[in-house]
Amino acid sequence: LWLDRIAATQADYIWDVSTAMMPARIKAGLDPKFADKVVHVPNALYPEQINYESFDKTQPFSLVFAGTLGPENGADLAISTMAIVIKKFPKAHLHLYGGGDNFLIKLRDLTGKLKLNKSITFHGFVTDQIKLSNEIKQYQIGLAPYKAIPGSPRFWADATKIRLYLAAGLPVVTTQVPPLGKELIEANAGIITKDRPKEIAEAVMKLFSNQKLYKTLRKNAIEKAKNNTWENTFSQALARMKLEKSI
């Protein structure tokens, strides 16, 4: 925080991955006059990651969670959600990608306790981002069930998993936590719920039940992600700093 305050007051520009960061600094006591220094530089993807399957090639009633399996990211909420979803959609299947050995044990135990071993697959941690994106695009819904834990960086960070899902053509179900959720709603490419299994499950079942709604969100997800490359992100940032022509 000390280093961030020095940068926010002394640097000519500061790059923020989220539009929620400067309001948080001001709330913590930073003079609002420094807000003009901010350049919004969100996370992006490689062009090869912006790639989706046709709808008829995706796996019916499939969901995916990709990312670190730590508590703030809500992988346990995704598992608990499945216990509700399969009551209406018995063929629903959740695919979990991510690492975190200590928490992984707890997640496997929870899966067994809820008798979901046949409805959930743990794929492990995939280091190759292109390969991960190619895996994700075969599913139908992306889950980003971030928990509203006080002090969690998720309230101010950029949700890369949401960007991965959109680039793969997946409508997203997320919670009230990530700032990117606001853009998701503006683009009509996903649904925001409270960070509780019941509410998340209701959103999932709504998408599985309403194909017209699902395809609308899917189309918007593809449109939202099509230009989300690192080249575009950095070019826009440099243009904001009036440096693009000099590099």
Side-chain angles (χ1 to χ4, degrees), residues 6 128 136 141 145 224 231 233:
I6 293 297
D128 186 328
I136 289 173
I141 295 176
K224 170 70 175 172
E231 183 176 359
T233 292

Side-chain angles (χ1 to χ4, degrees), residues 13 15 38-41 231-247:
Y13 295 95
W15 285 19
V38 171
V39 180
H40 183 212
V41 190
E231 183 176 359
N232 287 336
T233 292
F234 289 140
S235 292
Q236 290 168 12
L238 295 172
R240 165 76 169 79
M241 298 165 63
K242 299 181 174 59
L243 292 175
E244 188 174 30
K245 292 181 179 180
S246 64
I247 292 180

Side-chain angles (χ1 to χ4, degrees), residues 1-124:
L1 291 175
W2 174 84
L3 183 58
D4 183 78
R5 184 171 292 271
I6 293 297
T9 57
Q10 302 301 318
D12 293 325
Y13 295 95
I14 47 177
W15 285 19
D16 284 354
V17 294
S18 160
T19 56
M21 296 180 73
M22 182 51 76
R25 291 189 186 97
I26 293 172
K27 185 177 180 180
L30 184 70
D31 191 325
K33 71 180 183 181
F34 294 110
D36 289 343
K37 293 172 175 282
V38 171
V39 180
H40 183 212
V41 190
N43 287 321
L45 305 168
Y46 298 107
E48 297 88 344
Q49 292 178 276
I50 303 176
N51 184 19
Y52 55 91
E53 290 283 10
S54 60
F55 174 71
D56 59 351
K57 290 184 178 180
T58 59
Q59 296 183 20
F61 307 115
S62 58
L63 304 98
V64 61
F65 174 101
T68 305
L69 301 178
E72 72 279 359
N73 291 332
D76 56 331
L77 289 182
I79 291 172
S80 297
T81 293
M82 283 298 293
I84 302 171
V85 172
I86 63 170
K87 291 178 181 178
K88 184 173 182 179
F89 296 94
K91 294 182 179 180
H93 200 99
L94 171 64
H95 297 265
L96 283 160
Y97 292 83
D101 292 342
N102 293 333
F103 203 63
L104 181 58
I105 295 172
K106 295 179 180 179
L107 293 176
R108 289 187 180 279
D109 288 344
L110 177 61
T111 299
K113 181 180 179 181
L114 296 176
K115 299 179 180 180
L116 294 171
N117 289 316
K118 293 183 179 180
S119 301
I120 296 177
T121 300
F122 290 85
H123 293 271

